[in-house]
Amino acid sequence: MAHEYIPEISTDRDGTEHVVQGWQDDFYGGKLGFWLFMFTEVLMFGAMFLVLTYYKMLHPADFVAASASLNRFLGGTNTVILLVSALTMGLSLLKMRAGDVKGAKLMIWATIILALMFLSIKAVEWTAEYNHGVFLGLDALQSGNPHSKPFGEILFFGMYFTMTGIHGFHIIIGIGLMVWLLKRINAGKVSPEHHILHWNIALYWDIVHLIWVFVFPYFYMIGAASGGTGGH
Amino acid sequence: MSKSYFDETHCAIGHPKSTFMQWMLTVDHKRIGLMYAAVMFTFFFIAVSTALLMRFELFAPGQQFIDGDTFNQAFTLHGVIMIFLFIVPGIPAVFGNIVMPLMIGAKDVSFPRLNWFTFWLYIFGSAIAIASLFTDAGFADTGWTFYAPYSLNTGTNVIFTLVAAFVLGMASILTGLNFLVTIHRLRAPGMTFFKMPLFVWGIYATAWIQLLATPVVGITLILAIMEKYFGIGIFDPSKGGDPVLFEHLFWIYSHPAVYLMILPAFGIMSEIIPVFSRREIFGYRTIALSSASIAGIGYLVWGHHLYTSGMADIAKTVFSLLTFFVAIPTGIKFYDWIATMYKGKIVLSTPMLWAMGTIITFAIGGLTGVTIAMIGVDIHLQDTYYTVAHFHYAMLGGVVFLFFAGMHYWFPLVTGKMYDEPKAKIAFYMQFVGFNLLWFPMFIAGFLGMPRRYFDYLPEFQIYHQFSFFGALLFVAGLVFMFWVFYKGWTKGEKVGPNPWHATTLEWHMPTSPPPLENHSKVPYVDFDPYEYHHGEPVVKFDYETMRRID
């Protein structure tokens, strides 16, 4: 419906005409709305980082020890994958704006594949950790039994699974959004002239990889000195 | 007869024929606002009944009707409904939706379909909250604040309530986001920020709080859920966590949230006072900017809830000082309103009565707030009836009273009809007297040491509880009477034209009454201030067909 929209004109007392901005076809408004939404994501993760920082101050040694046991090789690979996917997503938007719809679609497919790779590696990582008894709800992460880890490590892993879990959830949503975007492009609803949806999904993907850029060093790298590359 | 928004609508999906589906799928901001109102007041009456039940129990010392555990669930239900389902979404979702786009000359909000989605998200969240009443474990008994560690250890169904609060928080965020973009993008040509009506300023400041504060509590609730399911120990001291951290994270949102409640209410006050004084508002810019500064300072005062929870003395002092600062912009608003009335042609219609009543009740609520912002006094009064009376004076006597004022004020706009003024005034006096009788004794009881959230008390407090009880009866009677007056007004009321109050802002310049589907017939050019009166008459007049000025 956005395409047939004709903006209204309002006339002031001198007879001068002013174009009225309607809610339809409001490219800038759509962008502003999505930026604001991204702001809430930052605050949400910001609060979790706050909790994390606080507990790192209380249990610095436990945090480093727990971090040392994470798999830096897989985590690092995932970081690279996510950074490359941010590049492909950005390229797809550039191609869309330049009028190359086919190239844009190709780049979105590349992003989806990279996102799936990220999730697969994440799954391998979590499975390995589960097999070592380190997972939410398992004995090692409950206090008050013979297998339980120290408080600081329980908190570390609790936050690790919560935050990477919520981040992974965002990746899944992102894949869904990209599939939807491809459908909209095929239906001609998203085109080089009207690509606000593409723009916003690219923005979403940027925030998802940006959050990972903070998650990765905070969980994986603080124990790198003592842990080597491998882990669980 | 011309068609109003009751006759036709745009829908989110397709073009359903049935009236019912047209309401369920509507994207029209006026209809969505009305549906919010209908759902919210249903919940409001459930919460009022719960409160009345507690008053019955407290009529005499000892156990009368309900046991202590039920009492705990009752005040939790009361708090959760009143806060998360009623007062936080309250004025923005109802009047922000119905009136704000009209005030800025927009056809709808920026994202109408998101608005529709948000409404159903709100319904979904409410349904989860209510559903936990019917589970085996029963409704949460933690109080609406879910303080750790009790909320982590209790056997009641806290998880449902936490999830509900999270979903409702998301709805709140999306509402705020929608309004922010609307106010930035869809103002009529010529309407600069300082030509916006003050209610829009209130909504604008509120929307920022909704957007910036809600995510923090959202994730806090998620962490509490993770903790409850998986026993991580984030907030549980027996597992190495820190319960005070929960309180901090909780109040980082929930204190700004009280300003989120009051700012749009102040906006309503700033609409009503100039219209019924027939005078331009005094200090327009100071009122507009004080909303913004209340929102800003309101972020930095959450610590005053934690004076007795364990916090560094220097932090307490800083939080106390910052809390005092909030009183300054609030005081500026009050002086501005009273200065507006000075030498005005005051018309004592029902909306004005509610507004003036609120000046008294909110002044009491606000000033008692300053007393408990003082660390020493608060150590004595924390978690007593004094605090309870304070926030009910501020919330009920401030936000809800102004909500009612707005309901009377915009009733003819929304329905095209007028309620029975004399009866509405009686309802006001019943509620005003009942309200003061209900809450004022609690200041004294609290000062003498009556703790909050107890279902029993020492015999020496009985007199205060009995005063409160009769006040509550009077208040609820007035409340029911008021809604009956509204009902009668809507069904049998006299039809009125588009501008019965001689108001100046754009929502009163509609081609029909009630307004048509896409609002103004043409978007006006705004080259005037929102409240221009000359000798008690509105200055700006429009031809409602072309929306060009004819004065």
PDB file of all heavy atoms in Angstrom, chain A residues 8-10 12 18 21 26 28 43 54-55 142-143 151 154, chain B residues 107 113 185-186 212 219 230 232 234 239 242 522-523 525 548:
ATOM      1  N   GLU A   8      -0.259  14.291   1.690  1.00  0.00           N
ATOM      2  CA  GLU A   8      -1.246  15.349   1.746  1.00  0.00           C
ATOM      3  C   GLU A   8      -0.533  16.703   1.764  1.00  0.00           C
ATOM      4  O   GLU A   8       0.651  16.792   2.074  1.00  0.00           O
ATOM      5  CB  GLU A   8      -2.079  15.168   3.009  1.00  0.00           C
ATOM      6  CG  GLU A   8      -3.423  15.820   2.944  1.00  0.00           C
ATOM      7  CD  GLU A   8      -4.200  15.559   4.229  1.00  0.00           C
ATOM      8  OE1 GLU A   8      -4.298  14.390   4.632  1.00  0.00           O
ATOM      9  OE2 GLU A   8      -4.670  16.533   4.817  1.00  0.00           O
ATOM     10  N   ILE A   9      -1.281  17.740   1.430  1.00  0.00           N
ATOM     11  CA  ILE A   9      -0.731  19.089   1.447  1.00  0.00           C
ATOM     12  C   ILE A   9      -1.509  19.892   2.479  1.00  0.00           C
ATOM     13  O   ILE A   9      -2.730  19.808   2.534  1.00  0.00           O
ATOM     14  CB  ILE A   9      -0.920  19.762   0.067  1.00  0.00           C
ATOM     15  CG1 ILE A   9      -0.261  18.944  -1.026  1.00  0.00           C
ATOM     16  CG2 ILE A   9      -0.396  21.182   0.082  1.00  0.00           C
ATOM     17  CD1 ILE A   9       1.241  18.898  -0.970  1.00  0.00           C
ATOM     18  N   SER A  10      -0.807  20.640   3.316  1.00  0.00           N
ATOM     19  CA  SER A  10      -1.545  21.559   4.177  1.00  0.00           C
ATOM     20  C   SER A  10      -1.169  22.988   3.785  1.00  0.00           C
ATOM     21  O   SER A  10      -0.033  23.256   3.384  1.00  0.00           O
ATOM     22  CB  SER A  10      -1.257  21.272   5.646  1.00  0.00           C
ATOM     23  OG  SER A  10      -0.303  22.158   6.156  1.00  0.00           O
ATOM     24  N   ASP A  12      -1.029  27.062   4.655  1.00  0.00           N
ATOM     25  CA  ASP A  12      -1.062  28.018   5.759  1.00  0.00           C
ATOM     26  C   ASP A  12      -1.835  29.272   5.354  1.00  0.00           C
ATOM     27  O   ASP A  12      -2.441  29.339   4.292  1.00  0.00           O
ATOM     28  CB  ASP A  12       0.355  28.333   6.245  1.00  0.00           C
ATOM     29  CG  ASP A  12       1.178  29.066   5.215  1.00  0.00           C
ATOM     30  OD1 ASP A  12       0.598  29.612   4.262  1.00  0.00           O
ATOM     31  OD2 ASP A  12       2.418  29.084   5.356  1.00  0.00           O
ATOM     32  N   HIS A  18       2.460  23.134   2.277  1.00  0.00           N
ATOM     33  CA  HIS A  18       3.471  22.345   2.991  1.00  0.00           C
ATOM     34  C   HIS A  18       3.122  20.885   2.846  1.00  0.00           C
ATOM     35  O   HIS A  18       1.978  20.495   3.062  1.00  0.00           O
ATOM     36  CB  HIS A  18       3.486  22.721   4.481  1.00  0.00           C
ATOM     37  CG  HIS A  18       3.735  24.169   4.726  1.00  0.00           C
ATOM     38  ND1 HIS A  18       4.975  24.670   5.003  1.00  0.00           N
ATOM     39  CD2 HIS A  18       2.897  25.222   4.712  1.00  0.00           C
ATOM     40  CE1 HIS A  18       4.902  25.975   5.173  1.00  0.00           C
ATOM     41  NE2 HIS A  18       3.648  26.347   4.997  1.00  0.00           N
ATOM     42  N   GLN A  21       3.934  14.934   6.308  1.00  0.00           N
ATOM     43  CA  GLN A  21       4.518  13.606   6.439  1.00  0.00           C
ATOM     44  C   GLN A  21       3.470  12.662   7.003  1.00  0.00           C
ATOM     45  O   GLN A  21       2.989  12.849   8.106  1.00  0.00           O
ATOM     46  CB  GLN A  21       5.727  13.661   7.368  1.00  0.00           C
ATOM     47  CG  GLN A  21       6.344  12.310   7.661  1.00  0.00           C
ATOM     48  CD  GLN A  21       6.957  11.701   6.424  1.00  0.00           C
ATOM     49  OE1 GLN A  21       7.806  12.284   5.772  1.00  0.00           O
ATOM     50  NE2 GLN A  21       6.489  10.506   6.066  1.00  0.00           N
ATOM     51  N   ASP A  26       7.305   6.404   5.315  1.00  0.00           N
ATOM     52  CA  ASP A  26       8.163   7.262   6.128  1.00  0.00           C
ATOM     53  C   ASP A  26       9.484   6.535   6.365  1.00  0.00           C
ATOM     54  O   ASP A  26       9.652   5.848   7.366  1.00  0.00           O
ATOM     55  CB  ASP A  26       7.453   7.593   7.451  1.00  0.00           C
ATOM     56  CG  ASP A  26       8.251   8.571   8.281  1.00  0.00           C
ATOM     57  OD1 ASP A  26       9.283   9.054   7.782  1.00  0.00           O
ATOM     58  OD2 ASP A  26       7.842   8.849   9.420  1.00  0.00           O
ATOM     59  N   TYR A  28      12.511   7.666   7.026  1.00  0.00           N
ATOM     60  CA  TYR A  28      13.267   8.120   8.184  1.00  0.00           C
ATOM     61  C   TYR A  28      12.613   7.639   9.481  1.00  0.00           C
ATOM     62  O   TYR A  28      13.294   7.218  10.415  1.00  0.00           O
ATOM     63  CB  TYR A  28      13.370   9.648   8.156  1.00  0.00           C
ATOM     64  CG  TYR A  28      14.165  10.194   9.292  1.00  0.00           C
ATOM     65  CD1 TYR A  28      15.556  10.160   9.261  1.00  0.00           C
ATOM     66  CD2 TYR A  28      13.533  10.699  10.421  1.00  0.00           C
ATOM     67  CE1 TYR A  28      16.291  10.627  10.322  1.00  0.00           C
ATOM     68  CE2 TYR A  28      14.268  11.176  11.483  1.00  0.00           C
ATOM     69  CZ  TYR A  28      15.644  11.136  11.429  1.00  0.00           C
ATOM     70  OH  TYR A  28      16.367  11.592  12.487  1.00  0.00           O
ATOM     71  N   LEU A  43      20.513  -1.829  26.056  1.00  0.00           N
ATOM     72  CA  LEU A  43      20.270  -1.691  27.490  1.00  0.00           C
ATOM     73  C   LEU A  43      20.056  -3.042  28.149  1.00  0.00           C
ATOM     74  O   LEU A  43      20.500  -3.277  29.273  1.00  0.00           O
ATOM     75  CB  LEU A  43      19.053  -0.805  27.719  1.00  0.00           C
ATOM     76  CG  LEU A  43      19.370   0.665  27.588  1.00  0.00           C
ATOM     77  CD1 LEU A  43      18.117   1.470  27.349  1.00  0.00           C
ATOM     78  CD2 LEU A  43      20.046   1.149  28.863  1.00  0.00           C
ATOM     79  N   TYR A  54      29.920  -7.013  38.104  1.00  0.00           N
ATOM     80  CA  TYR A  54      29.817  -7.004  39.562  1.00  0.00           C
ATOM     81  C   TYR A  54      30.332  -8.321  40.139  1.00  0.00           C
ATOM     82  O   TYR A  54      31.140  -8.336  41.071  1.00  0.00           O
ATOM     83  CB  TYR A  54      28.364  -6.754  39.943  1.00  0.00           C
ATOM     84  CG  TYR A  54      28.098  -6.792  41.417  1.00  0.00           C
ATOM     85  CD1 TYR A  54      28.663  -5.839  42.253  1.00  0.00           C
ATOM     86  CD2 TYR A  54      27.284  -7.770  41.971  1.00  0.00           C
ATOM     87  CE1 TYR A  54      28.425  -5.870  43.618  1.00  0.00           C
ATOM     88  CE2 TYR A  54      27.033  -7.798  43.329  1.00  0.00           C
ATOM     89  CZ  TYR A  54      27.609  -6.849  44.149  1.00  0.00           C
ATOM     90  OH  TYR A  54      27.371  -6.886  45.487  1.00  0.00           O
ATOM     91  N   TYR A  55      29.897  -9.431  39.548  1.00  0.00           N
ATOM     92  CA  TYR A  55      30.329 -10.714  40.110  1.00  0.00           C
ATOM     93  C   TYR A  55      31.783 -11.034  39.781  1.00  0.00           C
ATOM     94  O   TYR A  55      32.432 -11.777  40.513  1.00  0.00           O
ATOM     95  CB  TYR A  55      29.380 -11.832  39.660  1.00  0.00           C
ATOM     96  CG  TYR A  55      28.090 -11.783  40.422  1.00  0.00           C
ATOM     97  CD1 TYR A  55      26.867 -11.677  39.793  1.00  0.00           C
ATOM     98  CD2 TYR A  55      28.114 -11.794  41.812  1.00  0.00           C
ATOM     99  CE1 TYR A  55      25.697 -11.600  40.515  1.00  0.00           C
ATOM    100  CE2 TYR A  55      26.943 -11.707  42.547  1.00  0.00           C
ATOM    101  CZ  TYR A  55      25.744 -11.606  41.891  1.00  0.00           C
ATOM    102  OH  TYR A  55      24.596 -11.518  42.611  1.00  0.00           O
ATOM    103  N   GLN A 142      25.026 -26.420  40.523  1.00  0.00           N
ATOM    104  CA  GLN A 142      24.122 -26.215  41.653  1.00  0.00           C
ATOM    105  C   GLN A 142      24.987 -26.199  42.901  1.00  0.00           C
ATOM    106  O   GLN A 142      25.843 -27.052  43.047  1.00  0.00           O
ATOM    107  CB  GLN A 142      23.122 -27.363  41.755  1.00  0.00           C
ATOM    108  CG  GLN A 142      22.275 -27.566  40.532  1.00  0.00           C
ATOM    109  CD  GLN A 142      21.179 -26.537  40.437  1.00  0.00           C
ATOM    110  OE1 GLN A 142      20.567 -26.201  41.431  1.00  0.00           O
ATOM    111  NE2 GLN A 142      20.963 -26.006  39.259  1.00  0.00           N
ATOM    112  N   SER A 143      24.722 -25.285  43.792  1.00  0.00           N
ATOM    113  CA  SER A 143      25.531 -25.305  45.010  1.00  0.00           C
ATOM    114  C   SER A 143      24.975 -26.349  45.967  1.00  0.00           C
ATOM    115  O   SER A 143      23.847 -26.811  45.827  1.00  0.00           O
ATOM    116  CB  SER A 143      25.522 -23.919  45.657  1.00  0.00           C
ATOM    117  OG  SER A 143      24.211 -23.566  45.982  1.00  0.00           O
ATOM    118  N   PHE A 151      31.240 -20.918  43.991  1.00  0.00           N
ATOM    119  CA  PHE A 151      30.216 -19.903  43.692  1.00  0.00           C
ATOM    120  C   PHE A 151      30.518 -19.123  42.422  1.00  0.00           C
ATOM    121  O   PHE A 151      29.674 -18.968  41.551  1.00  0.00           O
ATOM    122  CB  PHE A 151      30.112 -18.897  44.837  1.00  0.00           C
ATOM    123  CG  PHE A 151      29.335 -19.373  46.016  1.00  0.00           C
ATOM    124  CD1 PHE A 151      29.502 -18.779  47.265  1.00  0.00           C
ATOM    125  CD2 PHE A 151      28.417 -20.408  45.881  1.00  0.00           C
ATOM    126  CE1 PHE A 151      28.773 -19.209  48.348  1.00  0.00           C
ATOM    127  CE2 PHE A 151      27.680 -20.841  46.963  1.00  0.00           C
ATOM    128  CZ  PHE A 151      27.874 -20.237  48.202  1.00  0.00           C
ATOM    129  N   ILE A 154      30.004 -21.045  39.265  1.00  0.00           N
ATOM    130  CA  ILE A 154      28.578 -21.266  38.994  1.00  0.00           C
ATOM    131  C   ILE A 154      27.972 -20.003  38.384  1.00  0.00           C
ATOM    132  O   ILE A 154      27.252 -20.049  37.386  1.00  0.00           O
ATOM    133  CB  ILE A 154      27.835 -21.648  40.284  1.00  0.00           C
ATOM    134  CG1 ILE A 154      28.351 -22.986  40.816  1.00  0.00           C
ATOM    135  CG2 ILE A 154      26.340 -21.724  40.026  1.00  0.00           C
ATOM    136  CD1 ILE A 154      27.685 -23.425  42.093  1.00  0.00           C
TER     137      ILE A 154
ATOM    138  N   LYS B 107      -2.676  11.413  11.177  1.00  0.00           N
ATOM    139  CA  LYS B 107      -3.772  10.509  10.795  1.00  0.00           C
ATOM    140  C   LYS B 107      -3.802   9.278  11.686  1.00  0.00           C
ATOM    141  O   LYS B 107      -4.814   8.623  11.831  1.00  0.00           O
ATOM    142  CB  LYS B 107      -3.602  10.068   9.347  1.00  0.00           C
ATOM    143  CG  LYS B 107      -3.626  11.196   8.351  1.00  0.00           C
ATOM    144  CD  LYS B 107      -5.047  11.612   8.076  1.00  0.00           C
ATOM    145  CE  LYS B 107      -5.068  12.786   7.113  1.00  0.00           C
ATOM    146  NZ  LYS B 107      -6.330  13.525   7.178  1.00  0.00           N
ATOM    147  N   ARG B 113       0.226  -0.845  12.621  1.00  0.00           N
ATOM    148  CA  ARG B 113       0.113  -2.295  12.822  1.00  0.00           C
ATOM    149  C   ARG B 113       0.898  -2.759  14.038  1.00  0.00           C
ATOM    150  O   ARG B 113       0.490  -3.675  14.749  1.00  0.00           O
ATOM    151  CB  ARG B 113       0.573  -3.043  11.570  1.00  0.00           C
ATOM    152  CG  ARG B 113      -0.614  -3.406  10.707  1.00  0.00           C
ATOM    153  CD  ARG B 113      -0.185  -4.056   9.441  1.00  0.00           C
ATOM    154  NE  ARG B 113       0.578  -3.121   8.633  1.00  0.00           N
ATOM    155  CZ  ARG B 113       0.905  -3.347   7.369  1.00  0.00           C
ATOM    156  NH1 ARG B 113       0.542  -4.461   6.779  1.00  0.00           N
ATOM    157  NH2 ARG B 113       1.598  -2.453   6.688  1.00  0.00           N
ATOM    158  N   ARG B 185       7.981  12.455  13.960  1.00  0.00           N
ATOM    159  CA  ARG B 185       7.793  12.461  12.510  1.00  0.00           C
ATOM    160  C   ARG B 185       6.470  13.038  12.040  1.00  0.00           C
ATOM    161  O   ARG B 185       6.386  13.561  10.948  1.00  0.00           O
ATOM    162  CB  ARG B 185       7.909  11.018  11.988  1.00  0.00           C
ATOM    163  CG  ARG B 185       9.284  10.430  12.165  1.00  0.00           C
ATOM    164  CD  ARG B 185      10.316  11.147  11.367  1.00  0.00           C
ATOM    165  NE  ARG B 185      10.081  10.978   9.922  1.00  0.00           N
ATOM    166  CZ  ARG B 185      10.595  11.787   9.003  1.00  0.00           C
ATOM    167  NH1 ARG B 185      11.332  12.805   9.351  1.00  0.00           N
ATOM    168  NH2 ARG B 185      10.351  11.578   7.733  1.00  0.00           N
ATOM    169  N   LEU B 186       5.417  12.892  12.824  1.00  0.00           N
ATOM    170  CA  LEU B 186       4.084  13.129  12.262  1.00  0.00           C
ATOM    171  C   LEU B 186       3.423  14.411  12.755  1.00  0.00           C
ATOM    172  O   LEU B 186       2.224  14.582  12.585  1.00  0.00           O
ATOM    173  CB  LEU B 186       3.171  11.929  12.546  1.00  0.00           C
ATOM    174  CG  LEU B 186       3.648  10.584  11.980  1.00  0.00           C
ATOM    175  CD1 LEU B 186       2.591   9.525  12.185  1.00  0.00           C
ATOM    176  CD2 LEU B 186       3.995  10.688  10.515  1.00  0.00           C
ATOM    177  N   LEU B 212      13.892   3.459  27.687  1.00  0.00           N
ATOM    178  CA  LEU B 212      15.238   3.310  28.252  1.00  0.00           C
ATOM    179  C   LEU B 212      15.265   2.519  29.548  1.00  0.00           C
ATOM    180  O   LEU B 212      16.287   1.934  29.879  1.00  0.00           O
ATOM    181  CB  LEU B 212      15.864   4.687  28.488  1.00  0.00           C
ATOM    182  CG  LEU B 212      16.133   5.487  27.224  1.00  0.00           C
ATOM    183  CD1 LEU B 212      16.802   6.794  27.565  1.00  0.00           C
ATOM    184  CD2 LEU B 212      16.994   4.701  26.275  1.00  0.00           C
ATOM    185  N   ILE B 219      15.215  -7.703  31.613  1.00  0.00           N
ATOM    186  CA  ILE B 219      16.277  -8.694  31.699  1.00  0.00           C
ATOM    187  C   ILE B 219      16.461  -9.152  33.148  1.00  0.00           C
ATOM    188  O   ILE B 219      16.810 -10.302  33.400  1.00  0.00           O
ATOM    189  CB  ILE B 219      17.589  -8.154  31.102  1.00  0.00           C
ATOM    190  CG1 ILE B 219      18.492  -9.305  30.706  1.00  0.00           C
ATOM    191  CG2 ILE B 219      18.304  -7.214  32.032  1.00  0.00           C
ATOM    192  CD1 ILE B 219      17.915 -10.174  29.630  1.00  0.00           C
ATOM    193  N   PHE B 230      17.038 -22.815  37.178  1.00  0.00           N
ATOM    194  CA  PHE B 230      18.317 -23.525  37.125  1.00  0.00           C
ATOM    195  C   PHE B 230      19.169 -23.331  38.366  1.00  0.00           C
ATOM    196  O   PHE B 230      20.260 -23.868  38.453  1.00  0.00           O
ATOM    197  CB  PHE B 230      19.111 -23.070  35.888  1.00  0.00           C
ATOM    198  CG  PHE B 230      18.408 -23.342  34.607  1.00  0.00           C
ATOM    199  CD1 PHE B 230      17.974 -22.306  33.799  1.00  0.00           C
ATOM    200  CD2 PHE B 230      18.164 -24.646  34.200  1.00  0.00           C
ATOM    201  CE1 PHE B 230      17.316 -22.575  32.610  1.00  0.00           C
ATOM    202  CE2 PHE B 230      17.506 -24.918  33.008  1.00  0.00           C
ATOM    203  CZ  PHE B 230      17.083 -23.873  32.217  1.00  0.00           C
ATOM    204  N   ILE B 232      20.940 -20.802  39.485  1.00  0.00           N
ATOM    205  CA  ILE B 232      22.275 -20.263  39.223  1.00  0.00           C
ATOM    206  C   ILE B 232      22.841 -19.560  40.450  1.00  0.00           C
ATOM    207  O   ILE B 232      24.031 -19.648  40.730  1.00  0.00           O
ATOM    208  CB  ILE B 232      22.236 -19.270  38.041  1.00  0.00           C
ATOM    209  CG1 ILE B 232      21.668 -19.947  36.803  1.00  0.00           C
ATOM    210  CG2 ILE B 232      23.621 -18.724  37.749  1.00  0.00           C
ATOM    211  CD1 ILE B 232      21.400 -18.990  35.671  1.00  0.00           C
ATOM    212  N   ILE B 234      22.219 -16.115  41.077  1.00  0.00           N
ATOM    213  CA  ILE B 234      22.556 -14.714  40.794  1.00  0.00           C
ATOM    214  C   ILE B 234      22.091 -13.800  41.923  1.00  0.00           C
ATOM    215  O   ILE B 234      22.786 -12.867  42.298  1.00  0.00           O
ATOM    216  CB  ILE B 234      21.924 -14.266  39.459  1.00  0.00           C
ATOM    217  CG1 ILE B 234      22.321 -15.223  38.347  1.00  0.00           C
ATOM    218  CG2 ILE B 234      22.356 -12.851  39.111  1.00  0.00           C
ATOM    219  CD1 ILE B 234      21.618 -14.964  37.042  1.00  0.00           C
ATOM    220  N   LYS B 239      23.483 -19.025  47.671  1.00  0.00           N
ATOM    221  CA  LYS B 239      24.262 -19.602  46.573  1.00  0.00           C
ATOM    222  C   LYS B 239      25.342 -18.631  46.110  1.00  0.00           C
ATOM    223  O   LYS B 239      25.843 -18.749  44.990  1.00  0.00           O
ATOM    224  CB  LYS B 239      23.342 -19.941  45.403  1.00  0.00           C
ATOM    225  CG  LYS B 239      22.347 -21.036  45.739  1.00  0.00           C
ATOM    226  CD  LYS B 239      21.363 -21.227  44.607  1.00  0.00           C
ATOM    227  CE  LYS B 239      20.365 -22.321  44.983  1.00  0.00           C
ATOM    228  NZ  LYS B 239      19.171 -22.251  44.149  1.00  0.00           N
ATOM    229  N   ASP B 242      23.745 -11.950  45.225  1.00  0.00           N
ATOM    230  CA  ASP B 242      23.542 -10.744  46.008  1.00  0.00           C
ATOM    231  C   ASP B 242      22.114 -10.239  45.819  1.00  0.00           C
ATOM    232  O   ASP B 242      21.773  -9.736  44.756  1.00  0.00           O
ATOM    233  CB  ASP B 242      24.538  -9.669  45.549  1.00  0.00           C
ATOM    234  CG  ASP B 242      24.476  -8.443  46.435  1.00  0.00           C
ATOM    235  OD1 ASP B 242      23.505  -8.324  47.197  1.00  0.00           O
ATOM    236  OD2 ASP B 242      25.400  -7.623  46.364  1.00  0.00           O
ATOM    237  N   LYS B 522      -8.558  17.756   6.767  1.00  0.00           N
ATOM    238  CA  LYS B 522      -7.277  18.108   6.144  1.00  0.00           C
ATOM    239  C   LYS B 522      -6.296  18.349   7.296  1.00  0.00           C
ATOM    240  O   LYS B 522      -6.703  18.734   8.382  1.00  0.00           O
ATOM    241  CB  LYS B 522      -7.405  19.402   5.333  1.00  0.00           C
ATOM    242  CG  LYS B 522      -8.292  19.310   4.124  1.00  0.00           C
ATOM    243  CD  LYS B 522      -7.540  18.826   2.904  1.00  0.00           C
ATOM    244  CE  LYS B 522      -6.598  19.883   2.375  1.00  0.00           C
ATOM    245  NZ  LYS B 522      -5.741  19.337   1.308  1.00  0.00           N
ATOM    246  N   VAL B 523      -5.020  18.156   7.019  1.00  0.00           N
ATOM    247  CA  VAL B 523      -4.058  18.433   8.086  1.00  0.00           C
ATOM    248  C   VAL B 523      -3.863  19.952   8.176  1.00  0.00           C
ATOM    249  O   VAL B 523      -3.588  20.603   7.175  1.00  0.00           O
ATOM    250  CB  VAL B 523      -2.723  17.732   7.804  1.00  0.00           C
ATOM    251  CG1 VAL B 523      -1.702  18.114   8.855  1.00  0.00           C
ATOM    252  CG2 VAL B 523      -2.918  16.237   7.779  1.00  0.00           C
ATOM    253  N   TYR B 525      -2.270  23.693   9.176  1.00  0.00           N
ATOM    254  CA  TYR B 525      -0.936  24.260   9.330  1.00  0.00           C
ATOM    255  C   TYR B 525      -0.913  24.959  10.690  1.00  0.00           C
ATOM    256  O   TYR B 525      -1.765  25.784  10.991  1.00  0.00           O
ATOM    257  CB  TYR B 525      -0.630  25.258   8.206  1.00  0.00           C
ATOM    258  CG  TYR B 525       0.762  25.804   8.321  1.00  0.00           C
ATOM    259  CD1 TYR B 525       1.842  25.075   7.841  1.00  0.00           C
ATOM    260  CD2 TYR B 525       1.002  27.023   8.940  1.00  0.00           C
ATOM    261  CE1 TYR B 525       3.126  25.551   7.974  1.00  0.00           C
ATOM    262  CE2 TYR B 525       2.290  27.496   9.079  1.00  0.00           C
ATOM    263  CZ  TYR B 525       3.351  26.758   8.592  1.00  0.00           C
ATOM    264  OH  TYR B 525       4.626  27.219   8.744  1.00  0.00           O
ATOM    265  N   ARG B 548      -8.555  25.395   7.383  1.00  0.00           N
ATOM    266  CA  ARG B 548      -7.785  26.636   7.303  1.00  0.00           C
ATOM    267  C   ARG B 548      -8.334  27.602   8.330  1.00  0.00           C
ATOM    268  O   ARG B 548      -9.505  27.588   8.668  1.00  0.00           O
ATOM    269  CB  ARG B 548      -7.888  27.215   5.892  1.00  0.00           C
ATOM    270  CG  ARG B 548      -7.267  26.273   4.867  1.00  0.00           C
ATOM    271  CD  ARG B 548      -7.235  26.865   3.505  1.00  0.00           C
ATOM    272  NE  ARG B 548      -6.343  28.015   3.445  1.00  0.00           N
ATOM    273  CZ  ARG B 548      -6.000  28.600   2.292  1.00  0.00           C
ATOM    274  NH1 ARG B 548      -6.475  28.143   1.157  1.00  0.00           N
ATOM    275  NH2 ARG B 548      -5.206  29.645   2.293  1.00  0.00           N
TER     276      ARG B 548
END
